[in-house]
Amino acid sequence: MAERECSNSSCSKESCEGCASAKQKQSFAAEMNVYSDVKHVIGIVSGKGGVGKSMVTASLANELSAAGYRVGIMDADITGPSIPRMYGLTGPAQADDNGILPVLTDNEIKVMSINLLMPDPESPVIWRGPILANMVKQFWTDVIWGELDYLLVDMPPGTGDVPLTVFQSLPIDGIVIVTSPQELVQMIVKKAYNMAKMMNIPVLGVVENFSYLKCPDCGKEIPVFGKSKVDAAAKELGLAVGGKLPIDPSLTELSDAGAFANARNPYLEAAVCALRVLDVKHETQE
Ligand code: ADP
């Protein structure tokens, strides 16, 4: 765990412990539950809500799980939690003296979300920033994740106070940025990239959601929200494109039916590959 507290790959563990960025991180870093052993923590970020961050998080989780990895999803989007609904999960999550137990999806993904702890998942969460950030910290310290290869964190949207504190609280190994063609893609990607850079966290890929609609009759790709801009945005910053996700009504249907465990998503292959490479590097380092 100590080695993972500073993700600046350019410094050795010894020299890192004294560096400014490591100190800054340590002052905010939350302790992992003693019954958890998580190899990789990945943040899924977006500029605003509604661009499909949860859809991408769950899709990546499904693909990794199908590939045989042990996967968890931390729903850190406290004010707009949607992961439990997508998988048809209801609370309350069980707890024992050692911590809170995540709830398991049909495809064996461990999930923790505020909606699995609240008596009524329909009631709004009206907490202020510091309490929201503390809740996420507790998802790390108090939840018994057990052994996981990947913990995917569905981050609060934006680059404000709450996502920033979450970034500083968790030992995030890399982020995936989700955008849509409706957004000012260049600016959103740059902001997320800069936030990650400030914290020495690598960007593993940029995913464009709602990229196009495939005509069910002729197969033609229709750019409903305008021409894709993700290639240019990624190129400018030297980032990899993690995938271009079409508008796919079957994904919405599975999500709305609470049956997302059955969803497969071939469009995110590049992002999945970037995550898997992380694990290969980890294995070779050990
Ligand atoms: P966010 O987490 O960024 O707020 P969500 O992942 O909850 O956004 O997605 C917002 C809505 O759009 C949801 O109803 C979801 O089912 C739908 N959606 C997201 N991506 C797609 C897609 N590629 N095709 C069809 N519907 C999608």
Side-chain angles (χ1 to χ4, degrees):
M1 182 55 214
E3 279 148 288
R4 289 157 46 73
E5 273 173 4
C6 177
S7 55
N8 186 350
S9 53
S10 64
C11 44
S12 68
K13 187 193 158 204
E14 290 73 24
S15 65
C16 193
E17 273 163 359
C19 81
S21 103
K23 271 187 190 149
Q24 190 193 13
K25 275 187 140 188
Q26 276 161 9
S27 62
F28 288 100
E31 285 289 317
M32 179 161 61
N33 185 284
V34 289
Y35 297 98
S36 299
D37 182 6
V38 180
K39 279 197 321 206
H40 307 288
V41 183
I42 310 294
I44 321 296
V45 309
S46 68
K48 58 173 184 175
V51 296
K53 180 172 49 61
S54 304
M55 174 70 79
V56 169
T57 305
S59 297
L60 289 173
N62 282 2
E63 293 307 309
L64 289 168
S65 175
Y69 293 100
R70 298 161 301 178
V71 185
I73 301 177
M74 182 197 286
D75 191 358
D77 192 352
I78 304 282
T79 52
S82 42
I83 298 289
R85 182 183 48 84
M86 292 173 77
Y87 288 98
L89 304 178
T90 49
Q94 302 296 303
D96 64 21
D97 290 346
N98 302 319
I100 307 165
L101 294 160
V103 178
L104 214 55
T105 67
D106 287 346
N107 56 343
E108 314 237 309
I109 294 167
K110 292 177 179 175
V111 174
M112 184 44 64
S113 168
I114 186 74
N115 268 7
L116 298 172
L117 301 174
M118 301 278 276
D120 175 12
E122 313 255 288
S123 56
V125 174
I126 47 172
W127 304 332
R128 293 191 191 279
I131 301 181
L132 295 178
N134 258 332
M135 188 79 224
V136 178
K137 276 191 190 181
Q138 280 184 283
F139 284 172
W140 183 242
T141 49
D142 295 352
V143 173
I144 303 171
W145 290 104
E147 291 190 0
L148 285 185
D149 296 308
Y150 294 95
L151 178 64
L152 304 186
V153 184
D154 188 353
M155 295 282 285
T159 45
D161 184 43
V162 180
L164 193 69
T165 314
V166 173
F167 256 113
Q168 291 174 322
S169 309
L170 306 178
I172 296 181
D173 296 302
I175 62 162
V176 173
I177 302 172
V178 184
T179 67
S180 80
Q182 299 136 290
E183 291 188 292
L184 297 165
V185 177
Q186 221 103 358
M187 192 185 75
I188 301 286
V189 173
K190 233 180 234 176
K191 270 194 180 179
Y193 167 81
N194 283 332
M195 178 159 86
K197 201 171 158 203
M198 272 165 54
M199 270 161 280
N200 294 314
I201 298 171
V203 178
L204 303 171
V206 187
V207 169
E208 184 175 71
N209 192 25
F210 304 124
S211 208
Y212 57 90
L213 174 76
K214 205 175 211 164
C215 171
D217 295 326
C218 66
K220 189 178 169 198
E221 293 179 6
I222 305 160
V224 182
F225 297 116
K227 240 180 110 200
S228 170
K229 303 174 193 99
V230 68
D231 289 321
K235 194 174 168 201
E236 192 190 329
L237 298 167
L239 304 176
V241 174
K244 292 177 189 170
L245 192 50
I247 297 167
D248 183 345
S250 74
L251 290 178
T252 325
E253 269 164 36
L254 287 170
S255 166
D256 289 350
F260 206 76
N262 301 318
R264 295 302 305 271
N265 198 325
Y267 306 100
L268 294 175
E269 205 183 329
V272 174
C273 193
L275 299 196
R276 294 184 68 169
V277 166
L278 215 59
D279 200 53
V280 173
K281 277 190 193 156
H282 183 90
E283 294 299 326
T284 40
Q285 273 166 11
E286 274 180 351

